[in-house]
Amino acid sequence: QIERFLGIIKNFSEHPYCVYDIGCCETSLGEQGRNFYDEDLIGSELIPIAKLAWGDYLCLNFHYDKNNPSVDFLDYEESYECDPVTSKIAETFQEFLSMLLSKNTK
């Protein structure tokens, strides 16, 4: 269940929805080592794009393809430092968007 899509929030430290800032979530995951597979890597391989119920995330996964990331489910509780546990949701972001449905769709 998608709680909220993440965005880029200007002055996130002063914003009431600061916990939904991409950079803020990425930093939090990075401090715990849950968004990269190799400790010698500089940067992240999993970029969070949506916060899910129970603390999990949807992420763009650049680990397997640096140019065409898949959209993956990141299981927060099962992930550990340099050992993220992911499940592929869609091969591409475009494919993921085509999976979304509006509540108003009949």
Side-chain angles (χ1 to χ4, degrees):
Q1 181 180 16
I2 295 174
E3 184 178 301
R4 185 174 295 268
F5 281 98
L6 304 177
I8 299 172
I9 301 172
K10 188 175 183 179
N11 299 323
F12 68 86
S13 62
E14 300 170 11
H15 199 281
Y17 294 111
C18 62
V19 295
Y20 299 113
D21 177 68
I22 288 174
C24 197
C25 291
E26 182 183 13
T27 299
S28 176
L29 290 171
E31 287 174 350
Q32 300 164 46
R34 295 180 192 219
N35 63 341
F36 51 86
Y37 297 83
D38 179 357
E39 67 183 32
D40 294 327
L41 179 74
I42 296 174
S44 302
E45 292 179 292
L46 298 169
I47 307 298
I49 59 171
K51 189 158 175 49
L52 307 176
W54 303 287
D56 299 315
Y57 292 90
L58 279 183
C59 297
L60 294 177
N61 187 341
F62 290 89
H63 179 69
Y64 301 105
D65 189 334
K66 306 289 185 222
N67 297 314
N68 298 301
S70 59
V71 177
D72 289 15
F73 167 81
L74 173 64
D75 188 325
Y76 184 83
E77 286 190 20
E78 295 296 320
S79 295
Y80 295 95
E81 187 172 346
C82 299
D83 188 21
V85 175
T86 62
S87 301
K88 188 179 294 187
I89 301 299
E91 290 290 332
T92 65
F93 185 69
Q94 189 65 35
E95 180 183 326
F96 170 72
L97 290 177
S98 71
M99 298 166 73
L100 299 179
L101 299 174
S102 169
K103 287 183 180 181
N104 298 327
T105 303
K106 293 183 181 182

